[in-house]
Amino acid sequence: LVETLYGGQASAAGGKVTAAEATPGTRVVRGPDWTCGLQDGAGRGTIKGPGPTDGWVKVKWDNNPRECFSYRAGGDGNYDLAFVAAQAVSCPAHHDLVPFAKAPGEGSNTCDQCGKELANGDQMYRCSPCDYDLCLDCHHRAAAGEDVGSRLSAAMALPGVRVCRGPDWNRDDQDGGGEGVLVGLDSDGWAKVKWEKAGTNKYRVGQSGKYDLVLAQRFFGDQDCSEALLQRM
C-alpha cells in the first residue's frame, strides 16, 4: 500500500482506518469489517471526529448526509472503514500544496475552492508562490480524486482559459449551462467570458470578495494559454 499524508499523519492509502489516524476531514469508504448495509449510500464519506467510545469514529456520508454515524476503528478489534486512496494535490500551476497555518496577527486567508475564510491558526494547504489555498475539506476531497475546480482570480484571468460558474454565481442560466472561454479583463478588472452555449458577459474575479467563475476541469484551452498561465503563476 502507498503511504499517503492525511492531516499531518502518514496513513496507508486504501488501508483500514484506525482511531489514531482518523483525522477530521479525511475521506473514507466502507472497510473490511463493514456490517452496516447501505448506511453509507454505497459511496464516500468524511470523518467528523471521534465516536462515543474509544476505538470508534463519526462519519457523515455524501449520499446520506442528514446525520453522522459511528463506526469501529479498532474497537472490538474490528475496522468498518478504509481510507480512500489518495493522490498529490497541486495548485493550477502544478506546484504541490503544503500544510500551512498562519500565526496570530498575520491576517486571514480564503479557500480558493469553496470560499471559506481561514482564520489565524486554522490548518490549510497552501502554494505560497501562487497565493493559492485550500481548506482541509477541499484538500481531502482533491486528494481523494474528486473534482474541486479552482476559483478564477484576476491573476489567473488570461485569455483562452476555460471557465464555468463558480461559488458566487448569481446570473441564473446566463452561461447556457455550460463552459466558456475567457476573453480578457476589462478596464474595471472584471473578466469577460464568451459562453459556448450563450453570449458574452462580464464577471467578478475577486471584486468585493466575490468569485463568479471557477476554472473548468479542462481549463487550458490551448498550449499557448497553458504556457502563459504557468508563467503568470
Side-chain angles (χ1 to χ4, degrees):
L1 293 175
V2 178
E3 289 296 306
T4 306
L5 193 68
Y6 279 103
Q9 298 183 17
S11 306
K16 61 188 180 183
V17 174
T18 67
E21 297 172 317
T23 306
T26 299
R27 300 288 284 165
V28 296
V29 293
R30 60 176 66 177
D33 300 315
W34 179 264
T35 59
C36 300
L38 291 175
Q39 193 175 79
D40 60 351
R44 296 177 175 183
T46 302
I47 292 178
K48 307 305 289 186
T53 59
D54 290 343
W56 289 66
V57 298
K58 289 183 178 179
V59 174
K60 179 172 286 188
W61 299 105
D62 295 351
N63 297 332
N64 191 8
R66 289 177 294 179
E67 60 181 302
C68 292
F69 298 93
S70 294
Y71 300 97
R72 299 168 296 179
D76 302 326
N78 292 294
Y79 299 87
D80 293 323
L81 306 170
F83 291 107
V84 174
Q87 59 189 29
V89 180
S90 61
C91 73
H94 308 299
H95 306 134
D96 287 344
L97 302 187
V98 297
F100 180 80
K102 276 195 171 181
E106 291 186 349
S108 61
N109 290 45
T110 301
C111 176
D112 284 298
Q113 162 55 24
C114 68
K116 176 183 177 181
E117 185 173 352
L118 304 168
N120 292 333
D122 284 353
Q123 187 177 357
M124 67 188 82
Y125 284 80
R126 177 168 176 79
C127 172
S128 293
C130 299
D131 191 24
Y132 182 86
D133 304 299
L134 289 183
C135 67
L136 288 184
D137 285 344
C138 288
H139 181 272
H140 286 314
R141 287 180 179 275
E146 300 170 26
D147 182 28
V148 288
S150 300
R151 296 184 309 168
L152 185 75
S153 66
M156 296 184 285
L158 290 174
V161 171
R162 296 182 62 81
V163 297
C164 53
R165 62 176 68 179
D168 300 313
W169 180 264
N170 60 359
R171 306 295 188 87
D172 297 322
D173 291 326
Q174 192 178 80
D175 57 354
E179 297 181 359
V181 176
L182 187 72
V183 177
L185 295 178
D186 68 7
S187 58
D188 295 325
W190 287 52
K192 183 180 293 185
V193 175
K194 173 65 176 71
W195 299 105
E196 293 177 342
K197 300 179 180 179
T200 300
N201 284 284
K202 297 187 296 184
Y203 303 94
R204 299 167 294 182
V205 285
Q207 288 81 0
S208 301
K210 301 295 184 180
Y211 297 84
D212 293 323
L213 307 168
V214 296
L215 294 172
Q217 190 168 9
R218 182 175 62 88
F219 58 83
F220 289 145
D222 54 49
Q223 184 62 30
D224 291 340
C225 171
S226 171
E227 293 175 354
L229 181 56
L230 292 177
Q231 291 172 3
R232 175 72 65 87
M233 300 299 289

